[in-house]
Amino acid sequence: MFGAKSVRGRFPCRGRWIQGFALLPFCFLLPQSVQPDLSEVPIGLQWKAMIRAQDRDWHRLAGPFSRSVEIASQKTGLSPMLLAAVVYVESRGQAKAVSSAGAIGPMQLMPATALRVLHVNPWQIQQNILGGAEFLQHLLRQFHGNLTLALEAYNAGPTRVSMGEPLPPSAMIYAETVEARLRWAKAGIKALPIQVRATS
């Protein structure tokens, strides 16, 4: 059993006994109806396992940009889950993604904004993600921590949002989709339908 003696305990999972702490995170990814009874597992181990599951989920969202997302998170203080969700919705892991409006890269930065305002090279992946993270950080400050408004401003422009102008449906769908992906990463849900991709 789990306890002070050993972490190589047993817990029931879908009618079977599964050995070891290493498999705990996978149980947090199961649908709630078939999740195991973890009542005998120490809370500390349950918490560590949940964090490991969440880490895997944001890495899945960030795809090949996980390391760049992690660096941008450390430099800006923003959650890597949030940045990974933005990267996923913006570019689906495509380094050379270009929108119809001309936004480029993982965080879909407009070249002029990236070069003149953010002072980053939008064609370089690390700088693209860092620039997008710094811009989102600025928007969160501008809108007093309101994530929905910050995401709508990231997509449609801060002036339009701050002046209360009507937003295009794509901006609202964009914010909803990023927030849904963020909830997905936090909850460790295996699948979540994506609506319409809104380009920046």
Side-chain angles (χ1 to χ4, degrees):
M1 284 205 172
F2 282 92
K5 295 182 180 179
S6 173
V7 295
R8 291 178 56 81
R10 297 180 175 185
F11 57 90
C13 184
R14 300 187 69 176
R16 294 183 178 183
W17 289 92
I18 294 182
Q19 299 282 337
F21 166 64
L23 294 179
L24 257 177
F26 292 97
C27 289
F28 289 98
L29 300 178
L30 293 172
Q32 188 136 11
S33 60
V34 295
Q35 280 193 11
D37 178 11
L38 302 180
S39 58
E40 295 184 5
V41 180
I43 294 298
L45 292 183
Q46 291 187 40
W47 179 254
K48 288 179 181 178
M50 183 179 68
I51 295 301
R52 286 175 60 186
Q54 290 180 348
D55 283 346
R56 269 199 310 276
D57 290 327
W58 81 253
H59 279 286
R60 191 181 307 149
L61 285 177
F65 311 127
S66 293
R67 181 57 183 156
S68 295
V69 165
E70 193 170 17
I71 292 172
S73 171
Q74 292 169 353
K75 289 187 175 181
T76 62
L78 297 183
S79 161
M81 289 186 189
L82 172 58
L83 297 180
V86 172
V87 164
Y88 182 86
V89 175
E90 287 285 359
S91 62
R92 296 296 195 276
Q94 301 299 313
K96 298 181 180 180
V98 180
S99 75
S100 58
I104 63 175
M107 294 288 271
Q108 290 289 277
L109 301 181
M110 295 298 292
T113 301
L115 294 169
R116 299 172 189 170
V117 180
L118 301 173
H119 306 293
V120 296
N121 178 357
W123 291 275
Q124 203 278 333
I125 292 175
Q126 178 62 67
Q127 291 190 41
N128 185 289
I129 293 175
L130 179 58
E134 290 177 343
F135 184 43
L136 183 56
Q137 180 187 46
H138 167 76
L139 294 173
L140 282 166
R141 288 174 180 164
Q142 180 177 346
F143 296 104
H144 309 290
N146 188 312
L147 180 59
T148 300
L149 292 180
L151 289 171
E152 289 174 346
Y154 190 95
N155 182 267
T159 301
R160 181 178 287 184
V161 175
S162 61
M163 294 186 68
E165 297 179 5
L167 297 178
S170 59
M172 293 181 284
I173 291 174
Y174 170 82
E176 291 171 2
T177 306
V178 171
E179 289 180 301
R181 279 290 165 181
L182 181 58
R183 289 193 298 271
W184 172 88
K186 287 181 177 179
I189 301 170
K190 279 192 173 182
L192 181 71
I194 285 291
Q195 300 179 38
V196 179
R197 178 174 180 246
T199 55
S200 296

